[in-house]
Amino acid sequence: MAGESLLYSWIGVVLYFILIIAVTIKYYAKIKSLSDFIVAGRSLGLAVTWGTILATWYCSGTALGGAMMAYLYGLRGVIMDPIGSGLSVVIFGIFFVSTLRRLRYLTISDFFRTRYGPEMEIASAVVQILGYIGWLGGLLMAQSIVFEVLLGVNYEIGLYAATIFTAIYTALGGLLAVAILDFLRVFIFWIAVWILLAIGIANVGGLGALASLGSDAFSILPGKNFEYLGYVGFFGILYYIASWINQGLGSLSAQDLVQRALSAKDERTSRNASILAGVSYWIIGLTGGALIGLLGRIIVPNLEDPSMVMVAVAERVLPPALFGLFITGLLATIMSSSDSAALIPPSMFINNIFPYMTKREISEALKLRLVRLLTIISTIGALLIALYLPHLYFLTQMAWYLMLFVQAIPFIMGIYWKKANRIGAVAQMVFNIVAWIILGNYFYNQTNDVWAAFYMPGPLVLPIGFIIFIVVSVLTQKSHP
């Protein structure tokens, strides 16, 4: 990176870190209970609720990953994220959030305890704790890559500094400080990527250059012979359907989404903020990720590392000051997801697992001290797992996808079907997991692609799991109404 661009990048990053410290100090003293820490005391207005949902979901995977997938596959490559992810937020806002907000839960596992009993509560909490630890480890390493590649900091120094800083400000500020920061981060990165998009389009001679890529680059339908992401025929169809349902259904009951919706001051605010965030996510995800990836086909063709296409486009077209804004925005969007992921494992452990481990009631003050301590420990632990325990890290990535098989069907049916019961929920969970492992092994042997093995079983497993849920719930109504 040129010296002037590096200087402006550091100025932006330092100012951003000062902002984080100031917001954390301001809101630290306002957190008096576990409710304040986990759901911001259910006090957030429309703008902040909208901003925190949007910023949490718009992470480096949507920005850098979306640009890479569009660079390689066109808009087909971004069906899972942001198209499927945005769909999940909109569906959640229309059909589910009002019920959850009305019941004043702290976590989604509270819903499973109330609706199905402790087995589903613990299963939901364990799967999500593991899943978010895995996500957090990846995000922390992404922060360190920004420090090393774009800011010239030694990898290990950047890695541990980013981790400790994230752990401390998240533990002190809780969701209240994180939500305020999220609201501000949305605008930092939104402005940065739209400036990049506008200058990039001007650089290639206008929108006509994008149109010259051909209609196939903008299609979200499978290609010839049901081709999708390099697979054709039956495998292509499965992968295509899985890309819609993985996030579209699997994230409906994800704690990062539910937590922010539960933090709104009332049902109406929660519903409207969720719908607006889903629509905004489509807009920013497609314009601030996918379209920049398509521009990369023109500006930086034959790139050796497609995962860095957004950064390569920015380096090619932005002047130093605006490149500094872009780097600040990129780091901000990674951190917006990092602190969100850091909040969830300790919150769900203290709220949904710890009560089963102790026989006495503990005070709110003690719960708050414990959740803050665990936030620091679990954040550092997530990094160590990602760095030094690759097999365990891989299992945490599996746990993220298990959310779809463990809780998607019981969540949807638990809201809308009165006969849904504990036995049906447990039965479908056991079947889904076993079938997913068996089919995943088959698809891996056929493709030697671990992600195909993760995703392809979904369209086959879930319909059968749904039938099992219905049949078992009906047959066990008398014993478990």
Side-chain angles (χ1 to χ4, degrees):
M1 186 191 300
E4 192 175 0
S5 295
L6 183 62
L7 174 63
Y8 280 112
S9 297
W10 269 111
I11 290 172
V13 169
V14 169
L15 291 175
Y16 173 63
F17 275 46
I18 292 172
L19 173 66
I20 291 176
I21 294 170
V23 171
T24 301
I25 291 173
K26 178 178 179 179
Y27 289 99
Y28 166 74
K30 295 185 178 183
I31 300 175
K32 306 293 186 182
S33 67
L34 198 62
S35 173
D36 292 338
F37 187 87
I38 297 177
V39 292
R42 301 185 181 89
S43 62
L44 303 183
L46 177 63
V48 176
T49 307
W50 163 81
T52 192
I53 294 173
L54 180 57
T56 298
W57 279 52
Y58 191 82
C59 63
S60 59
T62 315
L64 299 178
M68 176 189 73
M69 293 300 286
Y71 183 80
L72 295 173
Y73 302 106
L75 293 191
R76 287 192 192 96
V78 296
I79 288 175
M80 188 178 299
D81 189 24
I83 297 175
S85 298
L87 180 64
S88 179
V89 181
V90 172
I91 292 173
F92 178 75
I94 294 174
F95 296 108
F96 299 101
V97 70
S98 294
T99 299
L100 295 178
R101 178 60 185 82
R102 187 184 313 125
L103 295 171
R104 298 177 65 83
Y105 294 132
L106 289 181
T107 70
I108 188 59
S109 294
D110 291 346
F111 166 80
F112 288 107
R113 179 186 66 247
T114 304
R115 193 69 177 81
Y116 298 108
E119 297 93 345
M120 285 300 297
E121 175 192 14
I122 293 173
S124 167
V126 168
V127 166
Q128 296 201 73
I129 286 170
L130 292 175
Y132 282 102
I133 284 175
W135 188 34
L136 175 58
L139 289 166
L140 293 172
M141 289 193 291
Q143 286 188 51
S144 67
I145 291 172
V146 172
F147 278 105
E148 180 188 33
V149 176
L150 302 177
L151 294 173
V153 178
N154 175 271
Y155 179 78
E156 290 191 354
I157 292 175
L159 190 63
Y160 288 108
T163 299
I164 293 170
F165 184 71
T166 300
I168 292 174
Y169 86 76
T170 304
L172 295 178
L175 183 63
L176 188 57
V178 166
I180 299 299
L181 288 168
D182 283 344
F183 176 71
L184 300 174
R185 289 161 175 157
V186 165
F187 293 101
I188 294 173
F189 194 62
W190 209 330
I191 291 169
V193 294
W194 275 5
I195 289 174
L196 173 59
L197 180 65
I199 294 178
I201 290 173
N203 186 269
V204 299
L207 293 173
L210 279 174
S212 70
L213 294 174
S215 60
D216 190 64
F218 297 91
S219 174
I220 61 172
L221 298 175
K224 185 178 180 182
N225 195 23
F226 299 104
E227 186 278 330
Y228 181 69
L229 302 190
Y231 293 95
V232 296
F234 183 58
F235 281 14
I237 293 172
L238 286 179
Y239 212 160
Y240 180 75
I241 297 173
S243 293
W244 283 99
I245 66 175
N246 178 55
Q247 295 280 42
L249 294 180
S251 294
L252 282 176
S253 56
Q255 174 63 12
D256 55 343
L257 173 58
V258 173
Q259 181 180 32
R260 276 142 184 79
L262 295 177
S263 303
K265 63 182 181 180
D266 53 42
E267 293 173 40
R268 181 179 180 182
T269 299
S270 185
R271 181 182 64 252
N272 292 343
S274 298
I275 296 170
L276 286 172
V279 174
S280 301
Y281 190 73
W282 281 329
I283 295 171
I284 186 64
L286 292 173
T287 59
L291 285 184
I292 293 174
L294 292 178
L295 277 175
R297 292 185 175 188
I298 304 170
I299 297 173
V300 284
N302 305 314
L303 199 61
E304 287 187 10
D305 184 4
S307 68
M308 297 297 286
V309 61
M310 176 178 278
V311 176
V313 170
E315 286 182 321
R316 185 70 63 89
V317 305
L318 291 180
L322 291 179
F323 187 81
L325 175 64
F326 168 76
I327 294 301
T328 304
L330 180 61
L331 185 61
T333 195
I334 297 173
M335 293 183 72
S336 71
S337 297
S338 299
D339 53 32
S340 299
L343 280 171
I344 291 170
S347 299
M348 300 193 82
F349 179 82
I350 293 297
N351 189 64
N352 299 107
I353 295 179
F354 187 68
Y356 294 103
M357 300 171 63
T358 178
K359 295 182 179 180
R360 63 185 182 89
E361 185 68 25
I362 61 175
S363 66
E364 283 295 311
L366 180 56
K367 288 180 182 177
L368 186 56
R369 288 197 294 271
L370 286 173
V371 79
R372 279 177 160 154
L373 176 62
L374 284 177
T375 299
I376 295 174
I377 293 173
S378 63
T379 301
I380 296 173
L383 176 67
L384 296 177
I385 289 171
L387 282 177
Y388 302 115
L389 298 172
H391 295 296
L392 183 56
Y393 180 62
F394 179 74
L395 291 177
T396 65
Q397 299 296 300
M398 288 180 63
W400 181 263
Y401 194 59
L402 274 176
M403 279 188 252
L404 174 65
F405 295 113
V406 169
Q407 60 190 50
I409 294 171
F411 174 66
I412 295 169
M413 300 304 290
I415 296 286
Y416 284 102
W417 191 43
K418 292 183 178 180
K419 292 186 178 182
N421 70 6
R422 178 174 64 89
I423 305 301
V426 172
Q428 66 84 40
M429 176 179 67
V430 172
F431 168 80
N432 286 349
I433 293 174
V434 172
W436 176 58
I437 292 173
I438 294 171
L439 288 175
N441 184 64
Y442 166 77
F443 285 117
Y444 181 74
N445 290 333
Q446 294 295 313
T447 65
N448 201 34
D449 180 350
V450 67
W451 297 112
F454 272 14
Y455 298 135
M456 286 183 183
L460 301 174
V461 172
L462 285 178
I464 302 174
F466 176 76
I467 294 171
I468 289 173
F469 180 83
I470 297 293
V471 171
V472 173
S473 294
V474 170
L475 292 178
T476 57
Q477 279 298 296
K478 289 184 178 181
S479 59
H480 295 83

